[in-house]
């Protein structure tokens, strides 16, 4: 009986300590968010992104909060012109926390980064096509209907076309830009349409393509 009571007390202490650490983490984030709003600078922004990442690492099962924090961290990096870093965080949010309510917003910000900052029209098109299929009733997604070009083929056909265009027959050279767009679009398809029948196949093809092409800096 004494052992059981001791174990119960020990578990209670551990739970209390975890909740206490979680509260401290939230308080630090709120403080840094306020500081960044009042005095935008690189040091505060970097500290805030690090704090978001720390919270996520320490609370991996907090689905809704982690999805929002990855979005906020990506937004901070976006304002710092660190678009590739923001892209990586949004992909993490889609991969690890797809069931969260904030997922459409994560996808929309990712699409905006490709469209407006990275000038990657192929990846932007994949994001918007996938979002409109996955979240047809989302109000914010609906507002991006003008991003869908009526001349586009279906999402699957458009990705398939990229696969056929990776090798230029006239020059006998690999079109690295198209290959990169193909690999990224395959990944984005699987991230935004995780239950689609073709998602596993696209991921497999992306991996095979990445392994088979001798990559150079593009």
């Amino acid at each position: 009986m004494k052992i059981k009571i001791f174990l119960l007390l020990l578990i209670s202490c551990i739970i209390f300590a975890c909740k206490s650490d979680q509260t401290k983490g939230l308080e630090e984030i709120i403080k840094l968010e306020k500081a960044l709003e009042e005095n935008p600078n690189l040091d505060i922004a970097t500290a805030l992104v690090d704090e978001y990442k720390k919270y996520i690492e320490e609370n991996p099962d907090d689905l809704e909060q982690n999805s929002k924090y990855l979005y906020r961290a990506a937004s901070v990096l976006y304002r710092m012109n660190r678009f590739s870093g923001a892209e990586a965080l949004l992909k993490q949010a889609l991969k690890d926390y797809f069931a969260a309510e904030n997922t459409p917003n994560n996808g929309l910000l990712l699409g905006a980064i490709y469209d407006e900052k990275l000038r990657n029209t192929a990846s932007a098109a994949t994001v918007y096509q996938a979002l409109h299929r996955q979240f047809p009733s989302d109000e914010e997604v609906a507002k991006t209907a003008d991003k869908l070009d009526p001349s586009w083929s279906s999402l699957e056909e458009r990705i398939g076309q990229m696969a056929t265009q990776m090798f230029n027959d006239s020059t006998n050279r690999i079109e690295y830009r198209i290959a990169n767009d193909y690999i990224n679009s395959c990944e984005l398809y699987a991230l935004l349409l995780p239950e689609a029948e073709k998602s596993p196949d696209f991921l497999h093809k992306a991996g095979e393509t990445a392994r088979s092409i001798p990559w150079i800096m593009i």
Side-chain angles (χ1 to χ4, degrees):
M1 178 64 79
K2 290 183 179 180
I3 294 176
K4 288 183 178 180
I5 293 174
F6 173 76
L7 289 174
L8 287 173
L9 288 172
L10 180 60
I11 293 171
S12 298
C13 289
I14 292 173
I15 293 173
F16 178 79
C18 290
K19 288 184 177 180
S20 178
D21 290 341
Q22 186 177 26
T23 300
K24 289 180 181 178
L26 291 171
E27 290 175 348
E28 183 64 20
I29 287 172
I30 292 171
K31 183 178 75 173
L32 287 169
E33 287 177 337
K34 183 178 180 180
L36 185 62
E37 183 179 349
E38 295 175 348
N39 180 30
N41 68 65
L42 181 60
D43 290 339
I44 298 175
T46 301
L48 177 56
V49 170
D50 288 343
E51 202 62 37
Y52 285 139
K53 291 179 178 179
K54 179 181 177 182
Y55 180 92
I56 293 166
E57 183 179 348
E58 294 177 350
N59 304 278
D61 297 326
D62 195 345
L63 177 76
E64 296 296 339
Q65 195 69 279
N66 289 348
S67 178
K68 291 177 181 178
Y69 279 168
L70 284 167
Y71 176 86
R72 293 183 194 177
S75 298
V76 172
L77 293 181
Y78 180 95
R79 293 196 296 272
M80 296 165 62
N81 296 322
R82 292 169 58 186
F83 305 119
S84 294
E87 173 196 14
L89 291 180
L90 292 168
K91 284 184 174 180
Q92 180 186 345
L94 295 173
K95 179 177 181 292
D96 295 339
Y97 307 105
F98 188 82
E101 292 183 1
N102 199 59
T103 291
N105 292 327
N106 291 328
L108 288 170
L109 181 55
L110 184 58
I113 289 172
Y114 287 131
D115 187 27
E116 301 167 10
K117 301 301 179 181
L118 297 179
R119 303 300 180 189
N120 187 329
T121 55
S123 293
T126 298
V127 169
Y128 289 124
Q129 280 187 293
L131 281 174
H132 279 265
R133 182 184 299 181
Q134 183 69 39
F135 304 103
S137 301
D138 186 88
E139 293 182 1
E140 295 304 315
V141 171
K143 292 177 182 178
T144 63
D146 62 325
K147 301 291 186 180
L148 301 176
D149 190 329
S151 68
W152 286 344
S153 306
S154 73
L155 180 52
E156 290 80 6
E157 289 177 351
R158 197 171 55 76
I159 294 175
Q161 288 168 1
M162 281 187 257
T164 65
Q165 296 166 354
M166 285 189 293
F167 186 79
N168 190 321
D169 292 328
S170 61
T171 62
N172 290 321
R173 291 182 179 179
I174 295 168
E175 297 288 350
Y176 286 96
R177 181 66 63 186
I178 296 175
N180 186 67
D181 288 343
Y182 171 71
I183 292 168
N184 198 45
S185 284
C186 286
E187 180 185 3
L188 291 168
Y189 183 101
L191 287 173
L192 288 163
L193 298 165
E195 296 181 359
E197 182 180 352
K198 285 188 173 292
S199 286
D201 184 48
F202 274 137
L203 277 180
H204 175 73
K205 288 179 178 177
E208 288 296 308
T209 302
R211 284 190 290 271
S212 64
I213 292 179
W215 287 96
I216 61 173
M217 296 298 295
I218 59 173

